[in-house]
Amino acid sequence: MERIPVLKIGDTLLVSIQTDLHDQMVLALQEDLADRIAATGARGVLIDISGLEIVDSFAGRMLAAIAGISKILDAETVVVGMRPAVAITLVELGLSLNGIKTALDVERGLRLLS
Amino acid sequence: MTAQELPIHGDADVVRVRQAVRALAIEAKLSLVDQTKLVTAASELARNTLTYGGGGSATIERVENGTRAGVRALFHDDGPGIADLALALRDGYTSGGGLGLGLGGAKRLVDAFEIRSEPGRGTTVTVTKWAR
Amino acid sequence: MTFGNVVERCRQNESELVREWREVVARSLAGRLPAALVEKELRDILDALLGALEAGGGTDPQAEPYAEVRALLVELSRDRAQQGFSPRETAVSVFGLKEAVSKVLGDTDVTGFFRVIDEFGLYTFETYTKAREEVITNQAEQLLELATPVVKLWDGVVALPLVGTLDSARAQVVMEKLLQTLVDTGSEHAIIDITGVPAVDTQVAQHLLRTVVAARLMGAECIISGIRPQIAQTIVALGIEFGDIATKASLADALMLALSRLDVDVNAEIAKRSR
């Protein structure tokens, strides 16, 4: 199965999601990230979702779970690049992703983590 | 206009349903936001079909109402069915460990929503979204 | 359905028919369209209609042989709708053919032929209505576009001054446009100024709230300014929770707040720019 690559830059893990997500890919990403945070001692996780055309409740739940897991492992999560149409849809769906930090793009996200 | 029937028996099928719905939504000239809402609703419903209905199918087609174009999607399964529809539509209710936003959330994202279900006789959900 | 020799006789008297038909139509259009143009329109339609009848068209206007007639009538009703002619004036353009036929063919039995014309009259009416609806929809969209400017106030701060009544459809367009501007300009602060909005109902308030939440999901903060006392009362009376959303009395106050959040030293900026 295709896996989403996790990059490490300094103290931060960077994930850029560019394709439509299968549920299995989502679950695999969650596992990979937990392992990598623990292994590297990363302090921040940056998830770029600017390539995502939709985020449904399953993917939304995954983002919230990743944020929760990172927090326990002492890392902070920032989700960046959510498209306007996706944001509007998520709000209507009833998901506000409370507790997740957000930024407009990767650059601003990194600034938020440093 | 001919309807397409797509099977829903696995993860990859949910993605295929999303892509097919997106293609029809573009054809029907739905705005980007409306496309996104419809595709998200379709994703929720296709996953319900898979998770709670044990698999089934999606039937999607373009529809017209006077000068307005739209897309209709029907999700069907022969699973256990839903005993209490009002409860299933309520936000926060779930029988499968999710957030419980699937049905109620999908309903808010579309213009028309119809659900038919009986215990033991499967579930059929039909949604329609019109171009503004 | 047979049409006897009506079709044949129409062909024999085609140019006279067109002339008479044009007379009837011209009376209702009262010179607002050039006679030559109308005559060409009618000649094409009659020719296509007779051709279809010769090909065995029958009485169903949706039948295949009538494809060209339908296309011509769609064009006619579309043009008339866009030029602002009334439904009556448009319908006369088709029904006028009956008057012309009666006059030119005299005592021939034309019942069947008239039924066909009636069908096409109704068809024209339908397409006319459809075209009018399209014109109205387009205008409404253009108005929405004009009424929702998003302006940049500072690097990283955009404002959306709302003027006039906000209904649900407009609120939605406004919301989308504001969020898109945040991405396009890379702005992390948005000010929604509702000084010019006379009233807010539950739906509109909900739209404002959703915009703020959606902006947060994207990584931007909104400030709502210019809430009038009556609107503040309505919002509380409706039981709508603004929660931790920043509100300011005026656009100026909102800009101050945004600048302080951005850590902008205005004096230093002015000094830098005037150098």
Side-chain angles (χ1 to χ4, degrees):
Chain A
M1 187 192 60
E2 200 184 338
R3 283 182 112 88
I4 302 160
V6 179
L7 310 175
K8 184 167 175 293
I9 305 171
D11 271 350
T12 304
L13 296 179
L14 176 68
V15 176
S16 182
I17 304 172
Q18 296 297 335
T19 52
D20 201 357
L21 290 173
H22 292 222
D23 292 0
Q24 290 308 319
M25 286 167 77
V26 171
L27 295 171
L29 174 64
Q30 195 172 309
E31 270 172 37
D32 289 353
L33 268 177
D35 290 349
R36 290 290 297 273
I37 296 169
T40 61
R43 302 301 308 272
V45 176
L46 198 79
I47 306 176
D48 174 20
I49 58 166
S50 59
L52 274 189
E53 288 184 336
I54 76 152
V55 173
D56 59 8
S57 62
F58 189 86
R61 199 159 73 222
M62 173 273 295
L63 292 175
I66 290 175
I69 294 165
S70 329
K71 192 155 192 184
I72 296 172
L73 297 171
D74 199 23
E76 191 160 34
T77 305
V78 180
V79 171
V80 306
M82 186 184 292
R83 298 182 181 191
V86 171
I88 293 171
T89 303
L90 272 185
V91 174
E92 204 112 331
L93 192 62
L95 267 180
S96 53
L97 299 183
N98 280 328
I100 297 184
K101 288 199 170 173
T102 54
L104 284 175
D105 48 42
V106 174
E107 200 185 329
R108 288 181 172 83
L110 283 173
R111 219 179 296 152
L112 205 61
L113 282 173
S114 62
Chain B
M1 267 158 256
T2 48
Q4 314 171 36
E5 195 181 320
L6 307 156
I8 304 176
H9 292 297
D11 244 25
D13 293 333
V14 175
V15 176
R16 266 194 286 278
V17 167
R18 287 207 291 253
Q19 284 162 352
V21 169
R22 166 84 64 182
L24 277 188
I26 291 170
E27 247 182 75
K29 296 204 170 72
L30 260 65
S31 73
L32 181 61
V33 171
D34 286 337
Q35 284 173 33
T36 309
K37 286 183 181 176
L38 177 67
V39 175
T40 307
S43 183
E44 300 290 337
L45 296 171
R47 187 172 295 104
N48 278 354
T49 302
L50 188 64
T51 315
Y52 303 111
S57 66
T59 309
I60 59 175
E61 61 182 327
R62 259 187 74 187
V63 284
E64 247 170 62
N65 169 17
T67 56
R68 290 169 92 198
V71 176
R72 181 186 295 143
L74 178 151
F75 298 84
H76 176 77
D77 67 63
D78 294 311
I82 302 169
D84 188 343
L85 280 178
L87 183 65
L89 281 165
R90 199 181 301 156
D91 273 358
Y93 175 81
T94 174
S95 61
L99 276 179
L101 292 168
L103 274 185
K107 189 178 177 185
R108 278 193 294 278
L109 294 176
V110 295
D111 297 320
F113 181 95
E114 199 198 342
I115 181 164
R116 261 177 301 167
S117 183
E118 261 178 73
R121 312 189 85 163
T123 305
T124 304
V125 182
T126 312
V127 295
T128 314
K129 184 107 193 147
W130 299 104
R132 262 184 262 154
Chain C
M1 176 68 57
T2 57
F3 301 98
N5 61 349
V6 178
V7 176
E8 206 185 312
R9 295 205 49 204
C10 283
R11 273 288 188 219
Q12 285 157 7
N13 301 287
E14 207 168 331
S15 46
E16 199 188 342
L17 264 176
V18 170
R19 209 161 44 243
E20 287 295 334
W21 190 9
R22 195 203 69 203
E23 283 302 307
V24 181
V25 175
R27 242 182 283 143
S28 85
L29 297 182
R32 277 173 294 162
L33 281 181
L37 185 80
V38 175
E39 185 164 329
K40 183 178 179 321
E41 241 174 27
L42 301 181
R43 193 185 309 120
D44 290 348
I45 292 171
L46 184 63
D47 182 45
L49 180 64
L50 294 175
L53 285 166
E54 283 156 358
T59 49
D60 177 12
Q62 296 300 335
E64 203 278 320
Y66 288 121
E68 198 194 340
V69 182
R70 288 197 301 273
L72 288 168
L73 288 177
V74 167
E75 198 180 313
L76 177 136
S77 45
R78 207 167 278 268
D79 288 352
R80 298 281 203 275
Q82 271 159 10
Q83 290 151 354
F85 287 98
S86 74
R88 187 195 174 86
E89 287 157 346
T90 308
V92 164
S93 295
V94 177
F95 290 125
L97 177 58
K98 284 160 82 173
E99 202 176 318
V101 169
S102 299
K103 199 161 170 189
V104 176
L105 298 193
D107 51 0
T108 321
D109 178 17
V110 291
T111 331
F113 188 47
F114 276 17
R115 264 185 61 189
V116 175
I117 298 175
D118 285 345
E119 286 291 341
F120 280 110
L122 294 175
Y123 179 80
T124 311
F125 203 82
E126 266 170 24
T127 47
Y128 172 88
T129 316
K130 218 169 162 175
R132 272 297 273 267
E133 274 168 16
E134 276 166 20
V135 170
I136 292 166
T137 317
N138 284 341
Q139 284 174 343
E141 270 167 21
Q142 285 164 7
L143 272 178
L144 274 179
E145 276 299 305
L146 282 177
T148 52
V150 181
V151 290
K152 181 178 161 186
L153 293 185
W154 199 274
D155 259 342
V157 186
V158 293
L160 174 74
L162 291 174
V163 177
T165 314
L166 263 184
D167 60 12
S168 189
R170 186 171 166 223
Q172 215 162 330
V173 174
V174 164
M175 170 174 175
E176 290 169 20
K177 197 161 168 190
L178 177 66
L179 297 180
Q180 189 56 52
T181 311
L182 293 177
V183 178
D184 295 344
T185 61
S187 301
E188 291 176 293
H189 296 276
I191 302 169
I192 304 173
D193 183 73
I194 59 170
T195 312
V197 178
V200 165
D201 62 11
T202 320
Q203 265 204 324
V204 171
Q206 294 292 2
H207 270 299
L208 283 178
L209 288 178
R210 280 194 210 132
T211 311
V212 176
V213 179
R216 277 191 185 154
L217 285 175
M218 293 167 50
E221 277 295 322
C222 293
I223 303 165
I224 299 176
S225 69
I227 303 179
R228 300 173 178 206
Q230 306 96 295
I231 292 182
Q233 287 181 31
T234 322
I235 289 171
V236 173
L238 290 172
I240 295 159
E241 286 282 339
F242 263 50
D244 56 349
I245 295 166
T247 51
K248 287 284 162 199
S250 69
L251 183 56
D253 291 345
L255 179 60
M256 290 281 281
L257 175 60
L259 291 178
S260 74
R261 280 176 173 173
L262 275 172
D263 243 341
V264 173
D265 181 340
V266 179
N267 283 326
E269 287 289 324
I270 293 170
K272 203 161 71 189
R273 283 180 198 209
S274 55
R275 220 181 290 148

